[in-house]
Amino acid sequence: MTNLLLFAFIGIMWVLMLAGGGILVTMVSKITISGYGDEMDFFIASVIKAIIALVFVVFWIVILSKLKNKIFQKQLKP
Amino acid sequence: MVPPLLKILTRKNWAVKDVNRKGGAMVPRPGGPVILAGIILSEISLYFLLPHNSHITKGITALLATTTISFVVGFIDDRKVMGGWFKPLALVVAAIPIIVLGAYEPNLDFPLFGDVKIPALYLGLILILIPITGNTINSIDVMNGIASGFMTIASFSLVLVLFILQNYSVAIMTLPIALTSLAFYKYHKFPARIFPGDSGALTLGAAYGAIAIIGRVEIIAIVALLPAVINSFLFLSSVKRIVEHRQIKRPTVLQDDYTIAATKEPDAPVTLVRLLVAAKPLTEKQIGIAIFKLAIFSGILAIITAIISGAKL
């Protein structure tokens, strides 16, 4: 049973990785800023993208942590 | 190359107790020098066999430099137990040759969706990826044959992925890592005659990370490593700090019949092995087989990811 749960957990991680990448490429990478000069526009947009990407990573870890507690609830009890 | 190293290690009395073995046999360690030698000699041979272009020259040079620095970091830790932060921080240095030699492209490829150009962020990613892959493989080196067997499966999966993506030169550059892991597994499998030590595990992990960057398959390479990533994730989310594994309570206990069971200690870390033996105790060999099945599953997911990468949404 634990083995099956581990296979499922790996599968979920895989889907989350692909989905997270999809959101970053299709939405976040398209963000542009204008009105501060070319160089500043590029810099500000990059900072915003980096912050969003980091928020996504934290969000991803929180989801995984919650999933881990739910999936392995029985096994993790001392 | 392993038998002569075994003689040297035995003569120097560089051995550690195999705590899960009947009678607690002393096993020579580290096997890192032969792993490094295997990778270096094969990559240098490939350098002369592959067609000469700057991509291959930069790639092989960066791979060798990163691997060698990682070996040195691991060897220091083999001889003198350092703090939990030593390896992650020292492995950042191992990533620098990839940047200095320019053996990367600053685009991160997301399977199915295409790539994003992130020049500045990508440098940070390189500095993070090598410590992650190195320490991830090191953290799964918990029982006979697991680190080398796992790396054999993950590296061969990565070779197939690179062939599918038509990145033939980097696929061939990955073969020495896969074949060195396989050759070492012969001596590392249960009952182990040698342990890789931190020098061996970090060498293999860092070499794998370098290939992921040079071959532009960072995400797919991580997919093939997912069981080891889960192990690190479970460990960190239960311990909640970066700590040297020798400084924490053991997550499993050896029973009288030499099967391994989950510990009842409430503050022991949660690991992949602890989950595997949670329902019922298993022998060391059974645990290894269970982890290899998970590695094969992740390898298949990585190959599927490479196949569907061709069909961009």
Side-chain angles (χ1 to χ4, degrees):
Chain A
M1 182 62 182
T2 311
N3 276 11
L4 280 179
L5 292 176
L6 279 166
F7 281 109
F9 193 55
I10 289 173
I12 292 168
M13 278 182 96
W14 180 58
V15 172
L16 278 174
M17 282 174 81
L18 293 184
I23 294 169
L24 284 177
V25 174
T26 55
M27 293 161 78
V28 181
S29 71
K30 302 282 187 284
I31 294 172
T32 52
I33 298 287
S34 57
Y36 300 94
D38 282 352
E39 271 186 26
M40 274 309 278
D41 288 348
F42 181 75
F43 177 74
I44 294 169
S46 296
V47 171
I48 291 171
K49 286 178 201 173
I51 291 169
I52 294 173
L54 285 174
V55 169
F56 264 107
V57 171
V58 172
F59 190 58
W60 192 73
I61 291 171
V62 171
I63 290 178
L64 272 182
S65 201
K66 297 245 182 257
L67 270 172
K68 175 205 80 182
N69 293 338
K70 203 150 187 72
I71 292 177
F72 301 113
Q73 211 171 17
K74 232 165 106 182
Q75 287 86 341
L76 292 175
K77 274 184 193 157
Chain B
M1 281 190 281
V2 176
L5 179 69
L6 278 175
K7 277 185 193 161
I8 296 168
L9 293 174
T10 309
R11 202 167 48 232
K12 284 183 175 285
N13 203 20
W14 287 7
V16 287
K17 195 173 177 182
D18 186 349
V19 288
N20 296 321
R21 185 98 54 95
K22 260 183 197 169
M26 295 300 282
V27 179
R29 188 191 76 153
V34 287
I35 293 175
L36 179 72
I39 294 175
I40 287 181
L41 291 174
S42 332
E43 294 292 346
I44 290 174
S45 309
L46 280 180
Y47 175 76
F48 290 106
L49 291 171
L50 287 171
H52 282 77
N53 65 47
S54 71
H55 178 60
I56 291 172
T57 307
K58 278 181 193 174
I60 290 180
T61 314
L63 175 63
L64 291 181
T66 297
T67 308
T68 306
I69 298 171
S70 305
F71 164 80
V72 173
V73 170
F75 194 77
I76 292 170
D77 207 53
D78 278 331
R79 299 306 306 147
K80 186 173 186 261
V81 178
M82 310 296 279
W85 278 100
F86 170 72
K87 280 177 281 184
L89 287 179
L91 284 178
V92 170
V93 178
I96 291 172
I98 300 172
I99 297 173
V100 172
L101 290 161
Y104 67 95
E105 288 216 21
N107 303 343
L108 188 58
D109 246 331
F110 286 98
L112 267 178
F113 298 97
D115 58 2
V116 279
K117 205 173 173 65
I118 43 170
L121 261 181
Y122 195 84
L123 295 179
L125 192 78
I126 295 173
L127 297 176
I128 292 170
L129 192 65
I130 299 298
I132 286 178
T133 53
N135 281 297
T136 297
I137 298 306
N138 195 29
S139 71
I140 207 159
D141 180 28
V142 284
M143 284 177 189
N144 291 193
I146 292 183
S148 55
F150 183 87
M151 270 309 291
T152 306
I153 297 166
S155 307
F156 275 117
S157 304
L158 198 59
V159 170
L160 288 175
V161 161
L162 287 158
F163 270 115
I164 291 166
L165 296 173
Q166 298 176 0
N167 198 342
Y168 302 118
S169 55
V170 184
I172 293 167
M173 278 162 61
T174 314
L175 276 174
I177 302 168
L179 294 170
T180 303
S181 305
L182 181 63
F184 191 79
Y185 176 73
K186 191 186 161 203
Y187 296 90
H188 186 210
K189 70 182 179 195
F190 182 84
R193 283 190 272 166
I194 189 168
F195 287 149
D198 286 1
S199 57
L202 292 187
T203 300
L204 288 173
Y208 183 90
I211 286 289
I213 294 164
I214 296 162
R216 296 190 60 201
V217 284
E218 305 85 351
I219 307 283
I220 302 180
I222 295 290
V223 171
L225 280 193
L226 277 178
V229 173
I230 288 177
N231 183 53
S232 296
F233 173 73
L234 290 169
F235 180 87
L236 286 173
S237 65
S238 57
V239 176
K240 293 186 171 40
R241 66 200 159 104
I242 292 179
V243 64
E244 168 62 38
H245 63 92
R246 282 165 280 215
Q247 297 167 350
I248 46 129
K249 286 188 177 160
R250 284 178 59 79
T252 55
V253 285
L254 184 67
Q255 307 203 115
D256 292 339
D257 59 355
Y258 291 96
T259 55
I260 293 158
T263 181
K264 301 271 185 258
E265 293 271 358
D267 51 347
V270 179
T271 62
L272 190 59
V273 174
R274 186 174 168 185
L275 283 182
L276 284 168
V277 296
K280 63 167 187 170
L282 297 172
T283 63
E284 194 167 1
K285 206 172 174 179
Q286 288 171 323
I287 292 168
I289 291 168
I291 291 178
F292 294 158
K293 282 182 187 168
L294 292 172
I296 291 169
F297 178 63
S298 299
I300 292 169
L301 288 183
I303 291 165
I304 293 172
T305 314
I307 293 168
I308 59 175
S309 287
K312 298 260 188 308
L313 288 181

